[in-house]
Amino acid sequence: MEDRVLELHAVAMDEFGLRVAMVRDDQWDAPTPCADWTVRDLVGHLVSEQLWVPPLLAGETIAQVGDRFDGDQLGDDPVGRWTRASVAAQQAFAAPGALDREVHLSYGTVPARRYCMEMTSDLAVHAWDLARALGVDERVDPVLMAEVHDYLAPMLEKYSGELFAPPVPVPEDASPQERTLALTGRRP
């Protein structure tokens, strides 16, 4: 891929999707590091986010999308639903000129490139959340985590406590993943 944002988004999609494929039937109700969310809730959150991508990149507003993606989006096939939603989102972001558009989000109109990085960041951090919940390998691509950290760090003052829990301290020699997770209030 020619565009770094698309490359990072694809890696984040793969990281989260890998963990979704690992969910056993008896794990959907398991707790996650996200307060009050089960594995099913977490996957449902990411599926809903992916479903929003095509209409938002097509120029629809939050009001125009309305309640289209409210409620349970996983149905009887959570893994299949994730796969379909993630493929549609990736295709929408990769469409010619898509990243040059503006997107109407709940907090205002932003460049699509920024929206893609927001989605990438959410996927990367939640890939770790899902791995922790499942008890599987928690290592997320270190280059991805470093870029997510660099993207999120300037927003810390504005969104800490609102979008994520207050940051937790980490040692100076912490890995990019540890720094990113700590930045979002997670204890690696």
Side-chain angles (χ1 to χ4, degrees):
M1 285 184 207
E2 293 179 13
D3 193 292
R4 183 71 178 145
V5 172
L6 289 179
E7 289 176 15
L8 292 170
H9 183 256
V11 172
M13 282 285 211
D14 288 347
E15 289 284 359
F16 190 79
L18 173 70
R19 275 87 177 175
V20 171
M22 293 178 178
V23 180
R24 296 186 320 260
D25 289 342
D26 65 340
Q27 291 180 306
W28 289 103
D29 291 325
T32 70
C34 304
D36 301 322
W37 276 4
T38 64
V39 167
R40 185 177 178 86
D41 296 329
L42 177 61
V43 174
H45 165 69
L46 271 294
V47 165
S48 291
E49 281 194 344
Q50 305 321 305
L51 293 172
W52 279 85
V53 172
L56 291 178
L57 285 174
E60 289 186 48
T61 64
I62 298 291
Q64 289 169 323
V65 174
D67 61 1
R68 194 180 320 170
F69 305 121
D70 287 357
D72 178 24
Q73 295 297 319
L74 299 182
D76 295 336
D77 182 18
V79 176
R81 188 64 168 153
W82 160 257
T83 301
R84 290 185 298 278
S86 64
V87 166
Q90 273 190 292
Q91 289 174 342
F93 275 125
L99 291 181
D100 298 324
R101 299 176 189 152
E102 291 194 331
V103 180
H104 309 287
L105 301 177
S106 60
Y107 60 88
T109 301
V110 300
R113 187 172 301 283
R114 175 179 165 181
Y115 174 50
C116 189
M117 269 310 294
E118 286 179 20
M119 297 291 285
T120 299
S121 300
D122 206 38
L123 286 159
V125 171
H126 285 317
W128 178 85
D129 290 331
L130 187 53
R132 169 80 38 115
L134 301 176
V136 299
D137 186 356
E138 296 176 2
R139 288 175 295 169
V140 177
D141 183 277
V143 173
L144 171 66
M145 285 304 233
E147 299 246 9
V148 167
H149 178 273
D150 292 348
Y151 173 75
L152 292 176
M155 297 180 214
L156 180 62
E157 282 186 33
K158 185 174 182 180
Y159 294 115
S160 182
E162 184 179 325
L163 293 181
F164 16 80
V168 297
V170 292
E172 287 290 322
D173 63 346
S175 70
Q177 177 166 313
E178 291 168 326
R179 288 184 298 127
T180 302
L181 295 172
L183 187 68
T184 62
R186 288 157 172 83
R187 297 196 182 275

